[in-house]
Amino acid sequence: MTVAPHFQFQDGVLHAEDVALEQLAQEHGTPLYVYSRQALRDAWEAYRIASEGRDVLICYGMKANSNLAVLDEFRKLGSGFDIVSGGELARVLAIGGDPSRIVFSGVGKQVWEMQAALNAGVKCFNVESEAELLRLAEVADQCGKVAPVSLRVNPDVDAHTHPYISTGLKENKFGIAIENALTVYQRAMSFPSLRVVGVDCHIGSQITEVSPYLDALDKLIALIKQLAAHGIQLKHMDLGGGIGIRYTDETPLTPKQLLDEVFLALQAHELTHLQIVLEPGRSLVGNAGVLLTRVEYLKHTEARNFAIVDAAMNDLIRPTLYDAWHSVEPVTPRSGGQPAPSYDIVGPICESGDWLAKDRQLDLQHGDLLAIMSAGAYAFTMSSQYNSRPRAAEVMVDGAKATVVRPREALDSLFDTESVLTD
Ligand SMILES: *Cc1c(COP(=O)(O)O)cnc(C)c1O
């Protein structure tokens, strides 16, 4: 068994659903991102079941994986979208997504992005500072629109996750300190070009326990009551994304665990009129993808053994950025007798930080194909062309069928919009 249910061994060869990964690598080359459509559907199903009979809107946190094929799958399943840029808005509109199911997050919204979102008619702006609120009021006024507003508050709770993906602590740049929220809400109420509709928080990512959410929920409920006492009625409460996935042996909380607790609290506080919004990213796509890479060279030094592969930090930056752990599976493991040596899996990029995994017991030869597991989230979307490496192709598998949903970038696309000076 691997960590990802739709990537399993059949007759000793790792498959994506019913397609052998070796075959995909031969047809499309490596490095290659491979996604499972059924894994997307199953991840969605967990949220659908948890939402049944409840007023819940799931807005896929699309920065995790914004390929149009992934977005379109979630659109068809009924998802809304959590966007953080004008570029993401353009992607949702390109697949015919419903703007009234879009929430717009992010600390640095520019004027053109606000205009585009107002013209599209998004469900709400998750406003992260007083300065942003003032700008939004002005932009909406100039567009002759009324902007729906939810304040992203910073509840100052510890999500017990990596510091780089923890967002709900006082020292983080995100949101409005919860103790200042009432003042900012009152300010928002004073603008005719703004309509206050909700409250929002997003406390971090790869969260595995329910307790940080409950800490945030308590604080949000207290705020909602305080606002009501001042005549400010909200329509929805957005608890953000953040539910973790299994990279190795984690057993993260489930959407149902979270929503059961949330709705118990809403009943206890007579707040059942509130719509609940969630913005899951990683938990919808993380285990729906792998990154295939081939071993180019084995290098044995005095200090370590290196497997130099054709994928690199430009394809998957999480290990070096967050010290993240991804499982590495040989696609066709050999049943060797002697104990396998320990390898660092590294890329060809000229940086010591260019590593994908460290200290893995693997029986390797050059030419072997490896699957870096759980690469459906924050892999392609964080990729770059560093070292002038064209971005890898993305393939979506559905049963026994595989479709290229983004081709490998051509070499000349690396520079075909650049120019040299003429004098
Ligand atoms: C990144 C992000 C999400 C998605 O987070 P996951 O941990 O991938 O679920 C949701 N909301 C906001 C505001 C984000 O920045």
Side-chain angles (χ1 to χ4, degrees):
M1 280 290 278
T2 74
V3 289
H6 295 283
F7 296 86
Q8 295 299 335
F9 289 96
Q10 297 180 24
D11 298 325
V13 180
L14 191 59
H15 282 58
E17 300 191 23
D18 296 324
V19 178
L21 292 176
E22 184 66 58
Q23 180 197 330
L24 289 178
Q26 270 162 24
E27 269 169 45
H28 307 289
T30 50
L32 183 73
Y33 302 93
V34 181
Y35 307 132
S36 155
R37 185 182 200 181
Q38 193 57 44
L40 299 177
R41 290 175 170 166
D42 285 3
W44 174 263
E45 183 63 10
Y47 280 93
R48 192 195 62 77
I49 288 173
S51 309
E52 239 171 359
R54 294 167 166 168
D55 189 4
V56 175
L57 176 64
I58 306 295
C59 292
Y60 168 48
M62 63 177 278
K63 72 176 189 288
N65 185 327
S66 56
N67 185 285
L68 295 194
V70 172
L71 300 185
D72 198 48
E73 191 63 35
F74 288 130
R75 178 191 63 77
K76 285 187 271 198
L77 291 167
S79 188
F81 297 93
D82 169 47
I83 63 169
V84 292
S85 73
E88 288 194 344
L89 174 62
R91 282 181 178 272
V92 176
L93 298 180
I95 53 133
D98 176 1
S100 74
R101 296 163 85 81
I102 294 176
V103 297
F104 190 0
S105 304
V107 291
K109 299 179 194 75
Q110 299 173 43
V111 169
W112 72 269
E113 293 178 313
M114 289 178 170
Q115 288 165 339
L118 283 166
N119 289 330
V122 299
K123 175 182 172 69
C124 84
F125 290 82
N126 290 338
V127 170
E128 302 217 16
S129 66
E130 199 164 353
E132 182 192 334
L133 188 79
L134 301 185
R135 178 185 279 183
L136 181 60
E138 198 178 305
V139 173
D141 186 50
Q142 282 160 3
C143 296
K145 307 260 187 197
V146 176
V149 164
S150 173
L151 296 190
R152 175 170 175 179
V153 299
N154 184 329
D156 192 25
V157 300
D158 187 348
H160 304 141
T161 186
H162 188 279
Y164 282 14
I165 49 177
S166 187
T167 53
L169 280 168
K170 258 200 181 106
E171 64 254 36
N172 300 129
K173 70 179 175 183
F174 300 100
I176 294 163
I178 196 154
E179 57 273 21
N180 302 335
L182 172 62
T183 315
V184 185
Y185 270 106
Q186 285 172 324
R187 192 96 202 260
M189 295 292 285
S190 71
F191 292 100
S193 60
L194 301 180
R195 187 174 74 251
V196 170
V197 294
V199 63
D200 165 50
C201 75
H202 170 71
I203 55 176
S205 200
Q206 187 53 19
I207 299 167
T208 54
E209 318 150 44
V210 77
S211 58
Y213 285 103
L214 301 186
D215 294 346
L217 180 66
D218 279 350
K219 294 193 173 185
L220 255 52
I221 285 175
L223 172 63
I224 290 167
K225 290 185 165 177
Q226 185 192 27
L227 292 172
H230 287 81
I232 302 174
Q233 297 290 344
L234 305 184
K235 295 204 171 84
H236 75 253
M237 171 164 66
D238 182 341
L239 290 166
I243 292 185
I245 62 165
R246 172 167 292 185
Y247 285 101
T248 163
D249 56 359
E250 303 92 332
T251 305
L253 73 150
T254 63
K256 182 152 166 43
Q257 254 175 302
L258 174 59
L259 285 177
D260 284 354
E261 295 276 6
V262 169
F263 279 83
L264 270 180
L266 292 186
Q267 271 157 14
H269 293 274
E270 293 173 4
L271 292 171
T272 48
H273 63 283
L274 285 176
Q275 180 190 47
I276 297 300
V277 178
L278 296 179
E279 305 168 348
R282 187 191 312 272
S283 53
L284 283 174
V285 293
N287 270 329
V290 300
L291 174 60
L292 288 184
T293 183
R294 194 139 337 245
V295 177
E296 294 279 353
Y297 300 101
L298 297 179
K299 181 169 174 174
H300 306 280
T301 71
E302 223 170 273
R304 315 191 78 85
N305 300 312
F306 295 101
I308 302 167
V309 298
D310 62 7
M313 63 187 284
N314 74 301
D315 305 298
L316 182 67
I317 202 171
R318 299 188 66 258
T320 193
L321 185 61
Y322 311 127
D323 217 5
W325 200 95
H326 285 260
S327 173
V328 177
E329 299 280 354
V331 167
T332 313
R334 46 179 77 79
S335 42
Q338 66 276 61
S342 177
Y343 281 101
D344 287 1
I345 314 292
V346 301
I349 285 183
C350 308
E351 300 274 349
S352 294
D354 182 24
W355 58 274
L356 300 172
K358 285 184 174 170
D359 281 327
R360 302 304 169 88
Q361 227 79 40
L362 294 167
D363 184 0
L364 295 181
Q365 291 175 11
H366 76 88
D368 281 1
L369 188 64
L370 302 177
I372 315 284
M373 305 302 291
S374 314
Y378 304 107
F380 182 88
T381 51
M382 289 182 130
S383 69
S384 77
Q385 298 175 326
Y386 186 41
N387 276 212
S388 283
R389 291 167 48 86
R391 263 176 289 242
E394 296 173 282
V395 168
M396 178 81 76
V397 167
D398 181 10
K401 191 168 141 226
T403 308
V404 176
V405 293
R406 193 179 203 272
R408 186 174 307 283
E409 288 179 349
L411 271 191
D412 62 0
S413 78
L414 290 172
F415 47 78
D416 62 4
T417 57
E418 298 176 17
S419 53
V420 298
L421 301 185
T422 51
D423 58 350

